[in-house]
Amino acid sequence: MHTKTVSVFDASILWPAIGDAFIKLNPRLMVKNPVMFVTLVGAAISTVDIFRSPGQTLFVAQIALWLWFTVLFANFAEAVAEGRGKAQARALRATRTQTSANKISGDRIEVVDADSLRKGDVVIVRATEIIPADGEIILGAATVDESAITGESAPVIREAGGDRSAVTGGTRVLSDEIKIRITANPGEGFLDRMIQLVEGASRQKTPNEIALTILLAALTVVFLLAVVTLKPFGMYSGTLFSNAVLIALLVCLIPTTIGGLLSAIGIAGMDRLLQRNVLAMSGRAVEAAGDVDVLLLDKTGTITLGNRQAVAFLPAPGVKEQELADAAQLASLADETPEGRSIVVLAKQFGIRARTIHELPHAQFVPFTAQLRMSGVDLENRQIRKGSANAVRQFTGSMFPAEVEKVVEGISLSGGTPLVVATKQLVLGVIHLKDIVKGGLADRFKRFRAMGIRTVMITGDNKLTAAAIAQEAGVDDFLAEAKPEDKLALIRQEQQGGRMIAMIGDGTNDAPALAQADVGVAMNTGTQAAKEAGNMVDLDSNPTKLLEIIEIGKQLLITRGALTTFSIANDVAKYFAIIPAMLMVTFPAIAPLNVMHLHSPDSAILSAVIFNALIIIALIPLALRGVKFRPLGAVQILRINLLIYGLWGVILPFIGIKLIDLIIAGLHLA
Amino acid sequence: MNAHQWLELAVYIAALVFVTRPLGLYINRVLDINGRTWLDPVLRPLEKLTYRVLCVDPAKEYDWKQYTFAMLIFSLVSCLFTYAILRLQEYLPLNPQKLGALSQHLAFNTAVSFTTNTNWQSYGGESTMSYFSQMVALAIHNFFSAAVGIAIAAALVRGIARHTAATIGNFWVDLTRITYYLLLPICLVLALFFVSQGMIQNFMPYTTARLIEPQTISVQKTDANGKPVVDAKGNSVMVNQTLDTQTIVQGPMASQMAIKMLGTNGGGYTNANAAHPFENPTPLSNFFQMLALLCIGNAMTYHLGRETKNQKHGWAVWSAMFVMFLAGVMLCWWAEARGNPIHQQLGVAVADGNMEGKEVRFGIFDSALFATVTTDASCGAVNSMHDSFTPLGGLVPMFNIQTGEVIFGGVGAGLYGMLIFVILAVFIAGLMVGRTPEYLGKKIEAYDVKMVLLAFVILAFIILGFTAWACVSNWGLAGLNNNGPHGLSEMLYAYTSGAGNNGSAFAGLNANTPWYDTTLGIDMLLGRFGMIVPLLALAGSLARKKIVPASAGTFPVTGITFVILLVGTVLLVGALTFLPALTLGPIVEHFLMLKGTLF
């Protein structure tokens, strides 16, 4: 499911959303949103009032109409946000075809419907067949096309044991045959959960959303008090305020802008993650991403390109560089590891063409073993080995030249890995293997530092190597010689200090740490255990995705805060529009308070109500896209956003209400 | 607005700034059970004895529920104690004027009023209270209610400052230490100073003086039973009465006045409060009364900074308060100095500004400053008639109270009131930095927001609700001395003052009626405890949380951006809540005055 970015105003989403806006008028749904519920009740009361206000019918009717619009606009915003998710869910469902499965029962294989599979069943999937449900490979290895989920067309290898054993229902086996133990019941699989999440069916309010809803509800209560008590105050002062006017004032004051857009913002946040192929298991996780203080990043794959590469041949005294390169290449010809291949490639730069194994008839290749800790080749007349300095020292049985020792030490100090190349008789020199730090990371980490987020690199390397890479990559800190339990301990320790931790991982040994972290992103290629433990899954299995996740989390919170501030700041202008209009008849002396010089009391009130409704529509794109995120410190972000959403929140409605008033007066509507 | 007045304002501000740090440091020690002060040799034994008598283990700290329970029990018992004394006044000693017992509703209103640090007075002190009532029933509450306020603030600050703690302090220890180490010593010095200025302190019966110039006044004729005599048309029969003597009040005034100001109580010994020559003899006593009034509220911000190890935050809160203080003083002073255009048309006191209801000894500036200061704090002592201020001049004190008296504020109450706005500001704007809102490392979550807003909504509810009730009911309108928007202002001010535990009055209202006494009593109770209980719950919730270490991504609670944000929140939230009501009261009145209509 490689999602295209769905445009905010896509016709296929807009039309159904209009219909949904009406369906959502159901009071039982509306009551979950106190602000809009009050607006709904207001709209209903003023509709009844149309028929009880002789002489004022047109005015009250217009007020009622715009109040209904206010509610509908808010519903529409939510429907559009959901519509985008639904469109993606449809795309997902389309990839799911009815499949059958070869279930192993006892000693025979029977073909059953995929939907009848239960957790624990074992099935066999052969080439070109579709994997019937989520599971774990227990036997064999296969190439699997996971493009249905990741959008990535290159097939991936899945094999029993290790960290790449999980397979997802709906993906296709391209070659070989695998035996799978099913790990999810029908309807509970990964794809199902994904569809549910995308559709927003299982959406629950996040903690921060709940707190904000409480604030909005309390503000609504306060304004309800302020407006309801105006009736007796008016009676005392000899002014009878009509229901329509009081309701208009109330709806303008309660924070309808944020109240109407709040759930759309939340849905859109999940949606933005999904567009980057990250699946959040809950909105809570997205929110938590904004709060992260510390990022734990595995060195390999995240900070460095997966593997070390040979960057230089450093010959021993009396040995030509060419000679060393030749020997190094010979020793690596059969070495299929990326390091080995990089040595072959580097040697080519010295004019040594890559030979195939068959060109060397008597060659005997010595594979790398944990005991020997070196690999190489036995030719007719000589044995060539490459490996760690200690291993090679044992192999040659003689002392290294001092220069070689110095070179080995130097490479270690710089964070590289020295591989010594030698024959039984002679130390030829050293290959410098180096971790290649991904481009652009240092810059990215700098942005995070500005936002107050600390990056910690986790590596199994020794401290020297780790320090050098940490410096090159620009991370703030590193944990060297880390075992999985060290990772967990580090997370616990940071959390004890009140910090929130995000990490990304794939292996089963990452699972405890993923579960402990506040934001645990599991890679889709990872094990089932890792995916269960984390609260997000990155479908692209791209470790740097963590950085984007954090930005999206922050953007979500900033959007909420900005629109809340904007909504409350708007009230100032609305007061200046409505209050003088309400009192003008009884107390003409307060005319100077009508600072906008609005046409008439009726048009003033109507203009405020119309502005209040239209601003919701106007802000839907912002709510769905999210406000612009700037990687700055909190002080600057606050200052900028206060200026934009606070100050303009005060000024803009003055302009908007005045313009609407001019139009109303021009059309003789009030 | 002359140079001398500007100078006095500058000196007042300088003095306020000067006391902030030393007093803040001292309070910090008082609020720490292990804190050492130079009064230890004298007061430590007394403190220990008190704990023994109260059977309190000072080392045992309370969680928020236990703390709240202790505070409520203490308030209830002391309130009943005062009620009993007031009801039994005629049988109690030190009553040379043979003053009778108070009515049920007045005793209820007064007991509640002093327990809640409001000191709303539906009675005239010199004609209602015996010396015993003044000293025992009322003055102890001046100490205790002030100490309770500071204790609550201390508990809340502990909640903010502590990392995953279950407890927020020991109420009895806080109460004892604040009273012994903070209030009593300062009051002792202050009382002696007031005596030096000519304030009285005695137990003599009231004295009678012969007037040099006898006055003739017109009074209602009464029959033998004291009932007004009416003529055939039902009008009262008026008779002339010549007065050649005046009763001059006596009593233990200086001791009462010190704590009245320092504890932001404000309950006057006499009905004229700080406008009475005995209660406020000289410009110097006036100055120090105003300083005493704000000094603890002012220093509490320093305590906040000290306790949370973020002194810049303490000063940021102070700055926000100061900005609003200065704006209020300037507006009130300007409005009063500008005077009433109608007076000017009549040629009355053109140069002096609006001198109606002001003590000539103090004049425009000292009255405007006093009115602002006393409503910035929840004091309620007055040296002029707020009822007679120009509409805009009177708007300042009312708005000060409606925003929650957070401009330095009542002792303790000002700080915890301001912290409500701090948390609101942090919550609303905090999201804009892209994190779950945090206040000094404490995440502000649904429960905290709920408690803060509960405290806030209760205030709006009782102020607007009671005023609305009063202005459409017969009992409400019967108490009014003025009609029109000014009458609305009087009622609004009364319930605002009660809910805000201020106690000052617009004074046009005749509030000693069963309805007003009772509703205002409930108003004061809810205004105090309806706010304190959620805040203690907040303190408990905050204390349990971890402190997230600050980083570049942390919401800044220092610096000019925060100060602007905080002031904006106070003004906006306060304005948005009360603006409709204020428009129908003082704002309409202001525009009508400009058009030549008075009430």
Side-chain angles (χ1 to χ4, degrees):
Chain A
M1 177 220 54
H2 198 66
T3 44
K4 299 181 301 291
T5 307
V6 186
S7 144
V8 172
F9 290 115
D10 187 322
S12 67
I13 290 172
L14 288 192
W15 286 110
I18 293 175
D20 287 346
F22 283 93
I23 295 168
K24 284 170 182 285
L25 284 177
N26 181 352
R28 249 178 289 175
L29 297 176
M30 293 287 298
V31 80
K32 285 180 196 157
N33 183 341
V35 181
M36 295 323 291
F37 185 71
V38 168
T39 314
L40 179 76
V41 173
I45 296 176
S46 49
T47 307
V48 175
D49 264 15
I50 299 175
F51 309 102
R52 302 193 318 194
S53 320
Q56 282 258 293
T57 316
L58 179 65
F59 172 67
V60 178
Q62 288 188 75
I63 293 277
L65 183 70
W66 282 101
L67 293 183
W68 283 111
F69 276 147
T70 312
V71 182
L72 287 171
F73 289 168
N75 287 350
F76 176 72
E78 193 180 276
V80 169
E82 286 174 355
R84 302 211 302 172
K86 278 185 191 144
Q88 281 161 344
R90 265 197 302 278
L92 264 179
R93 265 205 199 92
T95 67
R96 224 165 61 160
T97 41
Q98 203 57 40
T99 48
S100 52
N102 311 311
K103 184 176 162 190
I104 299 177
S105 22
D107 49 0
R108 63 196 182 87
I109 295 172
E110 59 178 318
V111 178
V112 298
D113 198 42
D115 283 344
S116 69
L117 293 173
R118 290 289 176 276
K119 221 186 249 185
D121 289 350
V122 176
V123 296
I124 284 184
V125 186
R126 305 184 183 97
T128 75
E129 284 178 351
I130 286 179
I131 295 171
D134 291 3
E136 198 157 358
I137 303 178
I138 48 176
L139 189 69
T143 49
V144 179
D145 171 13
E146 294 196 335
S147 60
I149 295 185
T150 61
E152 188 61 55
S153 55
V156 292
I157 293 171
R158 293 278 177 262
E159 59 194 343
D163 289 344
R164 282 166 175 33
S165 62
V167 288
T168 311
T171 57
R172 185 182 293 273
V173 174
L174 294 179
S175 68
D176 306 296
E177 183 180 298
I178 44 177
K179 201 184 262 186
I180 299 169
R181 184 186 297 117
I182 303 298
T183 53
N185 289 329
E188 293 167 12
F190 190 62
L191 211 59
D192 302 290
R193 252 190 301 163
M194 220 151 107
I195 293 172
Q196 276 172 17
L197 281 165
V198 169
E199 281 186 325
S202 56
R203 198 179 106 79
Q204 284 178 326
K205 280 188 179 163
T206 56
N208 178 259
E209 211 177 339
I210 292 170
L212 194 54
T213 307
I214 292 170
L215 172 82
L216 299 181
L219 284 179
T220 306
V221 169
V222 167
F223 288 126
L224 203 57
L225 278 169
V227 172
V228 167
T229 52
L230 259 186
K231 191 103 181 172
F233 294 159
M235 283 157 73
Y236 168 87
S237 310
T239 324
L240 267 184
F241 300 123
S242 71
N243 283 346
V245 168
L246 288 177
I247 291 170
L249 176 64
L250 175 65
V251 171
C252 284
L253 293 183
I254 60 177
T256 47
T257 313
I258 179 67
L261 295 172
L262 187 59
S263 64
I265 296 170
I267 297 169
M270 300 269 285
D271 205 47
R272 275 200 298 280
L273 265 184
L274 207 59
Q275 282 170 16
R276 286 170 179 76
N277 271 349
V278 176
L279 193 68
M281 296 303 171
S282 69
R284 183 188 277 262
V286 186
E287 237 174 57
D291 284 349
V292 163
D293 302 284
V294 182
L295 285 186
L296 297 191
L297 301 163
D298 272 330
K299 185 200 78 179
T300 310
T302 311
I303 291 172
T304 61
L305 294 172
N307 307 290
R308 283 173 275 228
Q309 292 185 343
V311 290
F313 295 122
L314 304 160
V319 181
K320 287 205 193 86
E321 202 172 14
Q322 186 91 7
E323 214 174 315
L324 171 61
D326 184 56
Q329 195 192 47
L330 280 173
S332 307
L333 281 179
D335 185 354
E336 280 301 319
T337 62
E339 287 90 350
R341 265 176 279 157
S342 80
I343 294 170
V344 174
V345 170
L346 184 67
K348 278 186 195 171
Q349 291 176 5
F350 293 88
I352 301 161
R353 74 185 170 84
R355 288 151 287 195
T356 60
I357 301 164
H358 312 291
E359 288 174 50
L360 308 162
H362 302 288
Q364 188 82 39
F365 289 99
V366 181
F368 180 88
T369 62
Q371 284 87 36
L372 289 175
R373 286 187 297 144
M374 55 184 185
S375 64
V377 63
D378 290 347
L379 298 173
E380 282 167 290
N381 50 356
R382 54 179 181 158
Q383 297 171 301
I384 308 173
R385 293 287 184 276
K386 67 175 204 294
S388 74
N390 286 340
V392 174
R393 200 174 281 132
Q394 282 184 2
F395 169 71
T396 59
S398 65
M399 289 290 287
F400 285 1
E403 285 83 354
V404 171
E405 289 284 6
K406 204 179 269 175
V407 166
V408 165
E409 200 173 311
I411 292 173
S412 290
L413 275 176
S414 75
T417 308
L419 277 188
V420 181
V421 182
T423 62
K424 251 309 188 206
Q425 300 78 27
L426 181 66
V427 176
L428 293 167
V430 186
I431 307 170
H432 185 171
L433 286 182
K434 199 177 165 191
D435 269 311
I436 306 297
V437 172
K438 287 184 179 176
L441 274 187
D443 215 38
R444 218 154 179 183
F445 292 147
K446 211 167 120 193
R447 282 168 53 178
F448 277 96
R449 203 165 307 125
M451 292 190 279
I453 298 173
R454 213 155 55 88
T455 43
V456 179
M457 180 181 84
I458 313 276
T459 172
D461 293 341
N462 64 49
K463 284 199 177 116
L464 276 180
T465 312
I469 296 169
Q471 196 185 358
E472 191 179 343
V475 292
D476 296 305
D477 208 348
F478 62 87
L479 182 66
E481 290 162 1
K483 296 182 288 294
E485 55 269 32
D486 295 339
K487 214 186 265 189
L488 188 62
L490 178 69
I491 293 177
R492 288 225 172 101
Q493 178 200 329
E494 293 281 1
Q495 284 174 335
Q496 204 55 44
R499 294 186 184 83
M500 294 199 43
I501 317 295
M503 69 163 287
I504 197 159
D506 56 359
T508 301
N509 57 17
D510 282 333
L514 277 173
Q516 181 72 34
D518 300 283
V519 177
V521 184
M523 292 200 238
N524 194 40
T525 53
T527 57
Q528 197 65 33
K531 284 201 234 177
E532 295 286 338
N535 44 20
M536 288 191 201
V537 176
D538 176 23
L539 302 175
D540 295 341
S541 303
N542 170 9
T544 49
K545 198 63 83 56
L546 199 49
L547 311 181
E548 284 173 54
I549 293 172
I550 286 176
E551 293 190 348
I552 291 172
K554 285 197 176 292
Q555 196 186 27
L556 172 75
L557 295 172
I558 294 175
T559 308
R560 265 187 214 146
L563 290 185
T564 308
T565 308
F566 184 82
S567 195
I568 296 172
N570 269 203
D571 281 0
V572 177
K574 294 174 192 164
Y575 261 129
F576 275 101
I578 299 183
I579 297 270
M582 288 172 74
L583 300 179
M584 203 71 100
V585 181
T586 318
F587 303 106
I590 63 156
L593 269 188
N594 181 10
V595 288
M596 285 177 269
H597 297 289
L598 301 176
H599 174 67
S600 70
D602 283 1
S603 83
I605 294 168
L606 202 51
S607 304
V609 173
I610 293 176
F611 177 84
N612 191 51
L614 291 183
I615 197 75
I616 296 180
I617 283 285
L619 290 175
I620 290 178
L622 184 71
L624 296 189
R625 259 199 334 261
V627 304
K628 191 163 176 261
F629 177 75
R630 298 172 179 83
L632 299 170
V635 181
Q636 289 111 304
I637 296 185
L638 179 66
R639 205 168 289 160
I640 292 169
N641 286 331
L642 266 184
L643 274 181
I644 298 177
Y645 298 98
L647 193 60
W648 276 103
V650 173
I651 297 170
L652 189 71
F654 278 100
I655 301 168
I657 291 174
K658 179 67 188 173
L659 287 179
I660 296 171
D661 178 71
L662 288 175
I663 296 169
I664 289 177
L667 296 175
H668 302 287
L669 287 172
Chain B
M1 299 176 95
N2 62 33
H4 170 254
Q5 294 164 337
W6 282 106
L7 185 67
E8 187 184 339
L9 182 62
V11 172
Y12 182 75
I13 291 168
L16 208 55
V17 175
F18 179 76
V19 299
T20 309
R21 190 181 131 87
L23 190 57
L25 283 175
Y26 184 73
I27 290 175
N28 193 258
R29 290 180 179 194
V30 171
L31 294 175
D32 174 5
I33 188 165
N34 299 316
R36 290 173 170 276
T37 70
W38 54 275
L39 289 170
D40 279 4
V42 188
L43 294 176
R44 257 297 202 240
L46 188 63
E47 185 191 347
K48 282 184 181 156
L49 181 70
T50 310
Y51 297 144
R52 211 168 307 145
V53 171
L54 290 173
C55 302
V56 168
D57 173 9
K60 186 181 171 291
E61 289 221 336
Y62 294 172
D63 66 21
W64 80 265
K65 285 179 189 156
Q66 293 163 327
Y67 200 98
T68 308
F69 184 72
M71 182 274 297
L72 288 176
I73 285 290
F74 174 76
S75 299
L76 178 70
V77 169
S78 59
C79 184
L80 290 175
F81 172 73
T82 299
Y83 181 82
I85 291 180
L86 297 180
R87 294 284 289 151
L88 300 170
Q89 178 167 272
E90 55 191 317
Y91 308 110
L92 295 169
L94 284 178
N95 187 0
Q97 299 308 118
K98 304 277 176 264
L99 294 165
L102 278 67
S103 68
Q104 277 179 23
H105 57 85
L106 183 58
F108 164 72
N109 182 285
T110 307
V112 166
S113 173
F114 278 75
T115 308
T116 56
N117 195 260
T118 312
N119 297 28
W120 170 271
Q121 293 168 297
S122 282
Y123 61 92
E126 63 271 48
S127 55
T128 316
M129 297 292 171
S130 70
Y131 297 159
F132 185 81
S133 299
Q134 293 271 23
M135 293 182 72
V136 179
L138 303 186
I140 58 153
H141 273 298
N142 283 356
F143 280 96
F144 287 153
S145 68
V148 168
I150 299 172
I152 304 299
L156 184 55
V157 171
R158 284 187 199 115
I160 295 164
R162 287 180 178 182
H163 181 77
T164 56
T167 59
I168 54 171
N170 181 320
F171 174 75
W172 303 108
V173 172
D174 285 342
L175 188 73
T176 310
R177 288 184 60 89
I178 293 164
T179 310
Y180 288 171
Y181 290 88
L182 183 64
L183 300 177
L184 275 174
I186 300 181
C187 280
L188 192 68
V189 176
L190 212 53
L192 289 175
F193 168 76
F194 286 151
V195 169
S196 79
Q197 294 299 302
M199 201 180 279
I200 57 171
Q201 177 76 13
N202 60 44
F203 291 107
M204 292 193 302
Y206 296 174
T207 46
T208 304
R210 182 158 294 279
L211 293 180
I212 301 169
E213 206 178 325
Q215 305 278 317
T216 305
I217 57 169
S218 179
V219 294
Q220 265 187 354
K221 189 176 175 186
T222 51
D223 61 19
N225 299 326
K227 291 209 176 119
V229 178
V230 290
D231 61 16
K233 288 177 188 160
N235 295 326
S236 305
V237 177
M238 305 301 282
V239 291
N240 282 343
Q241 188 185 345
T242 303
L243 298 176
D244 50 7
T245 59
Q246 184 186 0
T247 307
I248 294 176
V249 65
Q250 299 290 343
M253 218 179 264
S255 57
Q256 205 114 327
M257 288 311 100
I259 187 61
K260 159 187 150 192
M261 292 302 172
L262 186 72
T264 59
N265 294 286
Y269 191 95
T270 62
N271 201 21
N273 209 309
H276 194 284
F278 281 174
E279 274 202 58
N280 197 357
T282 64
L284 202 58
S285 73
N286 190 57
F287 183 88
F288 276 95
Q289 290 198 0
M290 289 191 291
L291 189 62
L293 224 163
L294 283 195
C295 68
I296 291 183
N298 170 47
M300 285 304 283
T301 62
Y302 196 89
H303 169 67
L304 171 72
R306 185 89 181 169
E307 192 74 5
T308 58
K309 298 189 181 62
N310 189 341
Q311 205 59 63
K312 277 189 187 162
H313 173 59
W315 282 113
V317 171
W318 186 92
S319 307
M321 291 172 165
F322 178 74
V323 168
M324 290 185 283
F325 159 77
L326 201 59
V329 172
M330 299 308 292
L331 178 60
C332 187
W333 180 19
W334 171 81
E336 293 309 298
R338 190 158 156 262
N340 184 331
I342 296 166
H343 287 179
Q344 284 156 16
Q345 279 159 22
L346 295 171
V348 183
V350 179
D352 298 343
N354 175 31
M355 277 302 289
E356 182 194 317
K358 293 192 177 62
E359 169 73 3
V360 283
R361 291 182 299 136
F362 302 127
I364 299 284
F365 173 74
D366 272 329
S367 301
L369 181 60
F370 202 109
T372 312
V373 165
T374 195
T375 51
D376 283 341
S378 72
C379 181
V382 290
N383 74 351
S384 58
M385 189 91 157
H386 292 184
D387 194 37
S388 300
F389 276 32
T390 59
L392 287 186
L395 177 79
V396 171
M398 178 136 55
F399 192 69
N400 276 345
I401 307 175
Q402 281 169 345
T403 50
E405 290 154 335
V406 294
I407 307 172
F408 302 113
V411 288
L415 184 67
Y416 64 67
M418 192 54 148
L419 288 175
I420 291 185
F421 284 106
V422 169
I423 290 175
L424 266 185
V426 166
F427 186 76
I428 294 171
L431 282 170
M432 281 200 293
V433 304
R435 290 171 71 98
T436 299
E438 278 163 17
Y439 173 51
L440 293 170
K442 297 285 175 104
K443 281 205 168 22
I444 306 300
E445 292 161 306
Y447 182 82
D448 314 299
V449 173
K450 211 183 284 177
M451 289 306 125
V452 163
L453 287 166
L454 192 59
F456 182 73
V457 170
I458 284 173
L459 272 192
F461 181 75
I462 53 180
I463 294 176
L464 292 172
F466 276 122
T467 310
W469 185 14
C471 76
V472 290
S473 59
N474 291 329
W475 60 262
L477 300 177
L480 292 182
N481 282 354
N482 305 74
N483 59 1
H486 198 79
L488 183 64
S489 297
E490 286 173 355
M491 289 182 285
L492 187 60
Y493 195 105
Y495 289 104
T496 302
S497 175
N501 297 147
N502 182 283
S504 69
F506 239 33
L509 197 68
N510 176 19
N512 187 14
T513 63
W515 275 102
Y516 268 114
D517 274 341
T518 311
T519 52
L520 280 166
I522 297 168
D523 188 46
M524 290 184 277
L525 278 177
L526 287 175
R528 174 84 162 184
F529 299 105
M531 191 166 167
I532 287 181
V533 174
L535 282 183
L536 283 173
L538 175 72
S541 157
L542 289 178
R544 280 191 297 273
K545 290 175 201 269
K546 290 175 188 165
I547 295 179
V548 182
S551 72
T554 308
F555 183 86
V557 288
T558 59
I560 190 132
T561 313
F562 176 71
V563 172
I564 293 171
L565 176 70
L566 185 54
V567 172
T569 308
V570 173
L571 294 184
L572 209 61
V573 176
L576 293 179
T577 314
F578 296 104
L579 201 67
L582 288 174
T583 315
L584 278 168
I587 294 176
V588 158
E589 195 189 345
H590 170 74
F591 285 108
L592 291 176
M593 177 187 82
L594 294 179
K595 294 269 176 198
T597 315
L598 289 183
F599 297 93

